[in-house]
Amino acid sequence: MRRVLFVWTGNIFRSLTAEYAMRHVLGARSDIMVASAGTEDFPHVVSPYVKDYLLARGLDISRHRRRTLTAQILQEPGPVIAMSTEHRSVLAERFNLRDVPLFTEACGIPGEPLPDVDEVVRDHETNPVAVDGHVRMIIDRIIELTPQLANRLLLQKGALRS
């Protein structure tokens, strides 16, 4: 069995979305283990608007428990995918892991980071409407691209068996 690992800061938004979207797309037809982890080790929690929107999109994350990225996790065979350029840098600096694709690159399209709310919504602390809009846009983008990534992973897996 191989695994695919999605990496983000807190493991409560983008990497979490990619993990559950990939599990949903792959279903029971694959022996690819899907996982996610965060680069920071502090007690993040999934925001209610993230949890609610993911559920509305068919992804029940109620059993998700965030975890912090470790060298041991990175030893498992399979691709590691960064959700932004910042996380690709952390993987290189902290774990000497090079050539980690961004999520969009792994999907077969040009590299494009999936920015955090505070990078896009300057007044994120006082503008819940803009925060909700950004969160929905990012979740929709990840869900939209996940089937492309799943197909690429399944093709790679098939090529490895041949």
Side-chain angles (χ1 to χ4, degrees), residues 117 121-133:
V117 171
V121 182
R122 296 210 186 274
D123 58 345
H124 64 276
E125 293 175 352
T126 59
N127 191 344
V129 172
V131 168
D132 188 59

Side-chain angles (χ1 to χ4, degrees), residues 30-46:
S30 173
D31 65 349
I32 297 173
M33 185 182 86
V34 183
S36 63
T39 59
E40 299 299 325
D41 187 24
F42 50 89
H44 297 278
V45 279
V46 179

Side-chain angles (χ1 to χ4, degrees), residues 76-153:
E76 298 170 14
V80 175
I81 298 172
M83 301 306 283
S84 83
T85 52
E86 171 192 342
H87 305 104
R88 184 163 47 191
S89 297
V90 168
L91 288 163
E93 293 166 10
R94 222 183 276 168
F95 299 100
N96 199 29
L97 194 59
R98 311 276 181 226
D99 300 321
V100 174
L102 293 176
F103 178 79
T104 54
E105 292 169 330
C107 293
I109 63 174
E112 149 195 344
L114 301 167
D116 205 351
V117 171
D118 63 348
E119 295 173 293
V120 176
V121 182
R122 296 210 186 274
D123 58 345
H124 64 276
E125 293 175 352
T126 59
N127 191 344
V129 172
V131 168
D132 188 59
H134 177 73
V135 165
R136 288 171 181 247
M137 180 193 69
I138 294 295
I139 288 171
D140 290 344
R141 181 79 171 136
I142 293 169
I143 291 172
E144 167 194 329
L145 291 174
T146 299
Q148 290 174 233
L149 177 55
N151 288 335
R152 292 171 62 92
L153 290 172

Side-chain angles (χ1 to χ4, degrees), residues 48-101:
Y49 53 85
V50 170
K51 188 182 298 184
D52 292 345
Y53 191 62
L54 285 169
L55 187 57
R57 292 297 314 264
L59 303 175
D60 180 3
I61 61 152
S62 59
R63 293 187 174 185
H64 178 74
R65 299 294 173 260
R66 70 156 307 281
R67 67 181 185 156
T68 303
L69 187 65
T70 64
Q72 182 178 358
I73 291 171
L74 290 170
Q75 289 176 359
E76 298 170 14
V80 175
I81 298 172
M83 301 306 283
S84 83
T85 52
E86 171 192 342
H87 305 104
R88 184 163 47 191
S89 297
V90 168
L91 288 163
E93 293 166 10
R94 222 183 276 168
F95 299 100
N96 199 29
L97 194 59
R98 311 276 181 226
D99 300 321
V100 174

